[in-house]
Amino acid sequence: MFVYDAFISYLCIRHYTYIMHIKTHAKDLLINKIEKDMERNKTNTDNLSTLRSGEWMNGFTDDIAAALSQCAEQCFRLNALSPLCRSEREEIVREMLGRIGERFVIHSPFRCDFGTNIHIGNNFIGNFNLAILDEAEVTIGDNVFIGPNCSLCTVIHALDAGQRNAGIMRALPITIGDNVWIAANVVVLPGVTIGSRAVIGAGSVVTRDIPADVLAAGNPCRVIKPIPTSLS
């Protein structure tokens, strides 16, 4: 029994050492990537384009702060308007977003970071308290319904506290296909693509791509079953 227990302890130690080695290696690779991106972007004066590119950068810059402030003002104006002021609300939305198609409804409150990186198709419905952190491109197809209290987040802050406090960040795009329904209280994380005609269940955290024509739900969000395509 003593030999068996000692052997099991040895295996556990070896396993723990291996896992820690993998974690250390992954951390070193991430730090190296951040350092390379930061060095490459030292002479880049177009910080908004760099942020959209997916490279690590210092996001605490004057031009990014100015763009954030401008969009915050537009969101404030939109959310201060009555739902009955349809033409005024539409004017602000079209001025704020990169593109939005015909026939849309965006309920207040609505918030986004830049607006110009958001591209939405026709017949869009965004329910109450939709937040889109569009440091990278957010592309939404036709006939997309998004329920209340949903967040689409493209920004990633550095894991290291010192780097994070210094403003080191990157952003990855989000793409949502046509005829997608995202139910209430869903969070979509950076770099995710949701295929056309997919349905995302309430309360899901979408951490990876979801294929077309499926019902997916959970934290992390996983495919539950296929959705039969309509014959009509």
Side-chain angles (χ1 to χ4, degrees), residues 156-181:
I156 305 169
H157 298 283
L159 292 179
D160 178 80
Q163 292 176 334
R164 184 168 61 249
N165 295 337
I168 305 304
M169 63 180 68
R170 68 185 299 213
L172 297 174
I174 290 173
T175 302
I176 299 171
D178 297 333
N179 302 296
V180 170
W181 173 28

PDB file of all heavy atoms in Angstrom, residues 156-181:
ATOM      1  N   ILE A 156     -10.247  42.975 -25.447  1.00  0.00           N
ATOM      2  CA  ILE A 156      -9.551  42.073 -24.532  1.00  0.00           C
ATOM      3  C   ILE A 156      -8.475  42.882 -23.815  1.00  0.00           C
ATOM      4  O   ILE A 156      -7.589  43.452 -24.464  1.00  0.00           O
ATOM      5  CB  ILE A 156      -8.881  40.908 -25.284  1.00  0.00           C
ATOM      6  CG1 ILE A 156      -9.902  40.162 -26.150  1.00  0.00           C
ATOM      7  CG2 ILE A 156      -8.182  39.964 -24.312  1.00  0.00           C
ATOM      8  CD1 ILE A 156      -9.264  39.190 -27.116  1.00  0.00           C
ATOM      9  N   HIS A 157      -8.527  42.940 -22.497  1.00  0.00           N
ATOM     10  CA  HIS A 157      -7.489  43.610 -21.718  1.00  0.00           C
ATOM     11  C   HIS A 157      -6.420  42.591 -21.318  1.00  0.00           C
ATOM     12  O   HIS A 157      -6.684  41.394 -21.210  1.00  0.00           O
ATOM     13  CB  HIS A 157      -8.090  44.264 -20.475  1.00  0.00           C
ATOM     14  CG  HIS A 157      -9.090  45.335 -20.791  1.00  0.00           C
ATOM     15  ND1 HIS A 157      -8.712  46.589 -21.205  1.00  0.00           N
ATOM     16  CD2 HIS A 157     -10.447  45.319 -20.785  1.00  0.00           C
ATOM     17  CE1 HIS A 157      -9.798  47.323 -21.423  1.00  0.00           C
ATOM     18  NE2 HIS A 157     -10.859  46.570 -21.181  1.00  0.00           N
ATOM     19  N   ALA A 158      -5.201  43.073 -21.115  1.00  0.00           N
ATOM     20  CA  ALA A 158      -4.091  42.194 -20.755  1.00  0.00           C
ATOM     21  C   ALA A 158      -4.368  41.482 -19.432  1.00  0.00           C
ATOM     22  O   ALA A 158      -4.960  42.047 -18.513  1.00  0.00           O
ATOM     23  CB  ALA A 158      -2.801  43.007 -20.658  1.00  0.00           C
ATOM     24  N   LEU A 159      -3.928  40.218 -19.340  1.00  0.00           N
ATOM     25  CA  LEU A 159      -4.098  39.457 -18.095  1.00  0.00           C
ATOM     26  C   LEU A 159      -3.196  39.981 -16.987  1.00  0.00           C
ATOM     27  O   LEU A 159      -3.580  40.008 -15.820  1.00  0.00           O
ATOM     28  CB  LEU A 159      -3.790  37.978 -18.347  1.00  0.00           C
ATOM     29  CG  LEU A 159      -4.777  37.217 -19.238  1.00  0.00           C
ATOM     30  CD1 LEU A 159      -4.309  35.774 -19.399  1.00  0.00           C
ATOM     31  CD2 LEU A 159      -6.178  37.257 -18.657  1.00  0.00           C
ATOM     32  N   ASP A 160      -1.995  40.412 -17.338  1.00  0.00           N
ATOM     33  CA  ASP A 160      -1.063  40.950 -16.353  1.00  0.00           C
ATOM     34  C   ASP A 160      -1.576  42.292 -15.840  1.00  0.00           C
ATOM     35  O   ASP A 160      -1.886  43.202 -16.622  1.00  0.00           O
ATOM     36  CB  ASP A 160       0.319  41.134 -17.002  1.00  0.00           C
ATOM     37  CG  ASP A 160       1.313  41.740 -16.036  1.00  0.00           C
ATOM     38  OD1 ASP A 160       1.856  40.987 -15.203  1.00  0.00           O
ATOM     39  OD2 ASP A 160       1.546  42.960 -16.119  1.00  0.00           O
ATOM     40  N   ALA A 161      -1.661  42.433 -14.521  1.00  0.00           N
ATOM     41  CA  ALA A 161      -2.260  43.631 -13.929  1.00  0.00           C
ATOM     42  C   ALA A 161      -1.496  44.900 -14.298  1.00  0.00           C
ATOM     43  O   ALA A 161      -2.099  45.949 -14.566  1.00  0.00           O
ATOM     44  CB  ALA A 161      -2.331  43.485 -12.409  1.00  0.00           C
ATOM     45  N   GLY A 162      -0.159  44.827 -14.312  1.00  0.00           N
ATOM     46  CA  GLY A 162       0.628  46.008 -14.657  1.00  0.00           C
ATOM     47  C   GLY A 162       0.379  46.455 -16.084  1.00  0.00           C
ATOM     48  O   GLY A 162       0.208  47.659 -16.351  1.00  0.00           O
ATOM     49  N   GLN A 163       0.354  45.498 -17.010  1.00  0.00           N
ATOM     50  CA  GLN A 163       0.066  45.835 -18.402  1.00  0.00           C
ATOM     51  C   GLN A 163      -1.362  46.352 -18.553  1.00  0.00           C
ATOM     52  O   GLN A 163      -1.610  47.317 -19.283  1.00  0.00           O
ATOM     53  CB  GLN A 163       0.275  44.609 -19.286  1.00  0.00           C
ATOM     54  CG  GLN A 163       1.729  44.162 -19.404  1.00  0.00           C
ATOM     55  CD  GLN A 163       1.856  42.890 -20.214  1.00  0.00           C
ATOM     56  OE1 GLN A 163       0.935  42.086 -20.302  1.00  0.00           O
ATOM     57  NE2 GLN A 163       3.024  42.695 -20.804  1.00  0.00           N
ATOM     58  N   ARG A 164      -2.296  45.711 -17.886  1.00  0.00           N
ATOM     59  CA  ARG A 164      -3.696  46.127 -17.982  1.00  0.00           C
ATOM     60  C   ARG A 164      -3.885  47.550 -17.483  1.00  0.00           C
ATOM     61  O   ARG A 164      -4.579  48.367 -18.105  1.00  0.00           O
ATOM     62  CB  ARG A 164      -4.577  45.156 -17.184  1.00  0.00           C
ATOM     63  CG  ARG A 164      -6.064  45.416 -17.291  1.00  0.00           C
ATOM     64  CD  ARG A 164      -6.874  44.255 -16.727  1.00  0.00           C
ATOM     65  NE  ARG A 164      -6.607  44.012 -15.314  1.00  0.00           N
ATOM     66  CZ  ARG A 164      -5.977  42.943 -14.856  1.00  0.00           C
ATOM     67  NH1 ARG A 164      -5.516  42.028 -15.680  1.00  0.00           N
ATOM     68  NH2 ARG A 164      -5.793  42.782 -13.546  1.00  0.00           N
ATOM     69  N   ASN A 165      -3.251  47.884 -16.359  1.00  0.00           N
ATOM     70  CA  ASN A 165      -3.366  49.234 -15.806  1.00  0.00           C
ATOM     71  C   ASN A 165      -2.687  50.283 -16.675  1.00  0.00           C
ATOM     72  O   ASN A 165      -3.006  51.472 -16.590  1.00  0.00           O
ATOM     73  CB  ASN A 165      -2.776  49.269 -14.392  1.00  0.00           C
ATOM     74  CG  ASN A 165      -3.563  48.422 -13.417  1.00  0.00           C
ATOM     75  OD1 ASN A 165      -4.747  48.152 -13.632  1.00  0.00           O
ATOM     76  ND2 ASN A 165      -2.922  47.979 -12.340  1.00  0.00           N
ATOM     77  N   ALA A 166      -1.744  49.831 -17.513  1.00  0.00           N
ATOM     78  CA  ALA A 166      -1.069  50.737 -18.446  1.00  0.00           C
ATOM     79  C   ALA A 166      -1.832  50.891 -19.752  1.00  0.00           C
ATOM     80  O   ALA A 166      -1.377  51.597 -20.649  1.00  0.00           O
ATOM     81  CB  ALA A 166       0.343  50.234 -18.723  1.00  0.00           C
ATOM     82  N   GLY A 167      -2.986  50.200 -19.868  1.00  0.00           N
ATOM     83  CA  GLY A 167      -3.825  50.376 -21.052  1.00  0.00           C
ATOM     84  C   GLY A 167      -3.600  49.372 -22.155  1.00  0.00           C
ATOM     85  O   GLY A 167      -4.119  49.548 -23.264  1.00  0.00           O
ATOM     86  N   ILE A 168      -2.845  48.295 -21.885  1.00  0.00           N
ATOM     87  CA  ILE A 168      -2.551  47.327 -22.931  1.00  0.00           C
ATOM     88  C   ILE A 168      -3.806  46.501 -23.220  1.00  0.00           C
ATOM     89  O   ILE A 168      -4.378  45.880 -22.323  1.00  0.00           O
ATOM     90  CB  ILE A 168      -1.382  46.403 -22.531  1.00  0.00           C
ATOM     91  CG1 ILE A 168      -0.163  47.245 -22.153  1.00  0.00           C
ATOM     92  CG2 ILE A 168      -1.056  45.440 -23.663  1.00  0.00           C
ATOM     93  CD1 ILE A 168       0.288  48.204 -23.219  1.00  0.00           C
ATOM     94  N   MET A 169      -4.203  46.484 -24.496  1.00  0.00           N
ATOM     95  CA  MET A 169      -5.425  45.799 -24.911  1.00  0.00           C
ATOM     96  C   MET A 169      -5.344  45.413 -26.371  1.00  0.00           C
ATOM     97  O   MET A 169      -4.456  45.857 -27.108  1.00  0.00           O
ATOM     98  CB  MET A 169      -6.646  46.703 -24.686  1.00  0.00           C
ATOM     99  CG  MET A 169      -6.632  47.977 -25.511  1.00  0.00           C
ATOM    100  SD  MET A 169      -8.069  49.038 -25.231  1.00  0.00           S
ATOM    101  CE  MET A 169      -7.777  49.583 -23.548  1.00  0.00           C
ATOM    102  N   ARG A 170      -6.268  44.581 -26.790  1.00  0.00           N
ATOM    103  CA  ARG A 170      -6.453  44.263 -28.192  1.00  0.00           C
ATOM    104  C   ARG A 170      -7.935  44.033 -28.420  1.00  0.00           C
ATOM    105  O   ARG A 170      -8.713  43.970 -27.456  1.00  0.00           O
ATOM    106  CB  ARG A 170      -5.647  43.025 -28.606  1.00  0.00           C
ATOM    107  CG  ARG A 170      -6.145  41.747 -27.993  1.00  0.00           C
ATOM    108  CD  ARG A 170      -5.295  40.538 -28.307  1.00  0.00           C
ATOM    109  NE  ARG A 170      -5.208  40.240 -29.713  1.00  0.00           N
ATOM    110  CZ  ARG A 170      -5.100  39.001 -30.199  1.00  0.00           C
ATOM    111  NH1 ARG A 170      -5.055  37.959 -29.352  1.00  0.00           N
ATOM    112  NH2 ARG A 170      -5.003  38.776 -31.482  1.00  0.00           N
ATOM    113  N   ALA A 171      -8.350  43.890 -29.679  1.00  0.00           N
ATOM    114  CA  ALA A 171      -9.758  43.649 -29.976  1.00  0.00           C
ATOM    115  C   ALA A 171      -9.874  42.667 -31.135  1.00  0.00           C
ATOM    116  O   ALA A 171      -9.051  42.686 -32.057  1.00  0.00           O
ATOM    117  CB  ALA A 171     -10.468  44.966 -30.316  1.00  0.00           C
ATOM    118  N   LEU A 172     -10.889  41.820 -31.082  1.00  0.00           N
ATOM    119  CA  LEU A 172     -11.151  40.841 -32.130  1.00  0.00           C
ATOM    120  C   LEU A 172     -12.603  40.977 -32.587  1.00  0.00           C
ATOM    121  O   LEU A 172     -13.501  41.197 -31.766  1.00  0.00           O
ATOM    122  CB  LEU A 172     -10.897  39.423 -31.620  1.00  0.00           C
ATOM    123  CG  LEU A 172      -9.456  39.099 -31.211  1.00  0.00           C
ATOM    124  CD1 LEU A 172      -9.379  37.708 -30.592  1.00  0.00           C
ATOM    125  CD2 LEU A 172      -8.511  39.220 -32.396  1.00  0.00           C
ATOM    126  N   PRO A 173     -12.862  40.832 -33.886  1.00  0.00           N
ATOM    127  CA  PRO A 173     -14.198  41.105 -34.427  1.00  0.00           C
ATOM    128  C   PRO A 173     -15.233  40.061 -34.031  1.00  0.00           C
ATOM    129  O   PRO A 173     -14.913  38.913 -33.718  1.00  0.00           O
ATOM    130  CB  PRO A 173     -13.968  41.097 -35.943  1.00  0.00           C
ATOM    131  CG  PRO A 173     -12.774  40.216 -36.138  1.00  0.00           C
ATOM    132  CD  PRO A 173     -11.900  40.452 -34.945  1.00  0.00           C
ATOM    133  N   ILE A 174     -16.487  40.474 -34.070  1.00  0.00           N
ATOM    134  CA  ILE A 174     -17.634  39.597 -33.865  1.00  0.00           C
ATOM    135  C   ILE A 174     -18.479  39.627 -35.134  1.00  0.00           C
ATOM    136  O   ILE A 174     -18.738  40.701 -35.682  1.00  0.00           O
ATOM    137  CB  ILE A 174     -18.477  40.043 -32.653  1.00  0.00           C
ATOM    138  CG1 ILE A 174     -17.713  39.777 -31.347  1.00  0.00           C
ATOM    139  CG2 ILE A 174     -19.836  39.351 -32.623  1.00  0.00           C
ATOM    140  CD1 ILE A 174     -18.400  40.346 -30.113  1.00  0.00           C
ATOM    141  N   THR A 175     -18.906  38.445 -35.595  1.00  0.00           N
ATOM    142  CA  THR A 175     -19.749  38.350 -36.781  1.00  0.00           C
ATOM    143  C   THR A 175     -20.984  37.523 -36.451  1.00  0.00           C
ATOM    144  O   THR A 175     -20.872  36.418 -35.911  1.00  0.00           O
ATOM    145  CB  THR A 175     -18.992  37.702 -37.959  1.00  0.00           C
ATOM    146  OG1 THR A 175     -17.819  38.467 -38.239  1.00  0.00           O
ATOM    147  CG2 THR A 175     -19.864  37.647 -39.198  1.00  0.00           C
ATOM    148  N   ILE A 176     -22.150  38.064 -36.786  1.00  0.00           N
ATOM    149  CA  ILE A 176     -23.428  37.378 -36.575  1.00  0.00           C
ATOM    150  C   ILE A 176     -24.125  37.291 -37.925  1.00  0.00           C
ATOM    151  O   ILE A 176     -24.324  38.306 -38.593  1.00  0.00           O
ATOM    152  CB  ILE A 176     -24.299  38.133 -35.556  1.00  0.00           C
ATOM    153  CG1 ILE A 176     -23.573  38.196 -34.195  1.00  0.00           C
ATOM    154  CG2 ILE A 176     -25.663  37.472 -35.400  1.00  0.00           C
ATOM    155  CD1 ILE A 176     -24.248  39.106 -33.189  1.00  0.00           C
ATOM    156  N   GLY A 177     -24.480  36.082 -38.347  1.00  0.00           N
ATOM    157  CA  GLY A 177     -25.075  35.867 -39.655  1.00  0.00           C
ATOM    158  C   GLY A 177     -26.518  36.333 -39.742  1.00  0.00           C
ATOM    159  O   GLY A 177     -27.048  36.983 -38.840  1.00  0.00           O
ATOM    160  N   ASP A 178     -27.195  35.967 -40.836  1.00  0.00           N
ATOM    161  CA  ASP A 178     -28.589  36.338 -41.071  1.00  0.00           C
ATOM    162  C   ASP A 178     -29.534  35.468 -40.240  1.00  0.00           C
ATOM    163  O   ASP A 178     -29.242  34.310 -39.933  1.00  0.00           O
ATOM    164  CB  ASP A 178     -28.952  36.162 -42.551  1.00  0.00           C
ATOM    165  CG  ASP A 178     -28.143  37.071 -43.468  1.00  0.00           C
ATOM    166  OD1 ASP A 178     -27.699  38.144 -43.010  1.00  0.00           O
ATOM    167  OD2 ASP A 178     -27.966  36.707 -44.651  1.00  0.00           O
ATOM    168  N   ASN A 179     -30.696  36.049 -39.899  1.00  0.00           N
ATOM    169  CA  ASN A 179     -31.795  35.302 -39.277  1.00  0.00           C
ATOM    170  C   ASN A 179     -31.395  34.645 -37.950  1.00  0.00           C
ATOM    171  O   ASN A 179     -31.853  33.546 -37.626  1.00  0.00           O
ATOM    172  CB  ASN A 179     -32.324  34.234 -40.243  1.00  0.00           C
ATOM    173  CG  ASN A 179     -32.794  34.826 -41.551  1.00  0.00           C
ATOM    174  OD1 ASN A 179     -33.743  35.609 -41.594  1.00  0.00           O
ATOM    175  ND2 ASN A 179     -32.100  34.488 -42.637  1.00  0.00           N
ATOM    176  N   VAL A 180     -30.552  35.320 -37.195  1.00  0.00           N
ATOM    177  CA  VAL A 180     -30.121  34.816 -35.884  1.00  0.00           C
ATOM    178  C   VAL A 180     -30.997  35.418 -34.789  1.00  0.00           C
ATOM    179  O   VAL A 180     -31.348  36.593 -34.833  1.00  0.00           O
ATOM    180  CB  VAL A 180     -28.640  35.164 -35.639  1.00  0.00           C
ATOM    181  CG1 VAL A 180     -28.238  34.865 -34.199  1.00  0.00           C
ATOM    182  CG2 VAL A 180     -27.743  34.403 -36.608  1.00  0.00           C
ATOM    183  N   TRP A 181     -31.359  34.593 -33.807  1.00  0.00           N
ATOM    184  CA  TRP A 181     -32.046  35.080 -32.613  1.00  0.00           C
ATOM    185  C   TRP A 181     -31.136  34.845 -31.417  1.00  0.00           C
ATOM    186  O   TRP A 181     -30.763  33.719 -31.110  1.00  0.00           O
ATOM    187  CB  TRP A 181     -33.379  34.361 -32.417  1.00  0.00           C
ATOM    188  CG  TRP A 181     -34.068  34.685 -31.112  1.00  0.00           C
ATOM    189  CD1 TRP A 181     -33.960  35.843 -30.391  1.00  0.00           C
ATOM    190  CD2 TRP A 181     -34.956  33.841 -30.375  1.00  0.00           C
ATOM    191  NE1 TRP A 181     -34.721  35.780 -29.253  1.00  0.00           N
ATOM    192  CE2 TRP A 181     -35.345  34.566 -29.220  1.00  0.00           C
ATOM    193  CE3 TRP A 181     -35.446  32.558 -30.586  1.00  0.00           C
ATOM    194  CZ2 TRP A 181     -36.204  34.024 -28.270  1.00  0.00           C
ATOM    195  CZ3 TRP A 181     -36.311  32.020 -29.639  1.00  0.00           C
ATOM    196  CH2 TRP A 181     -36.701  32.748 -28.502  1.00  0.00           C
TER     197      TRP A 181
END
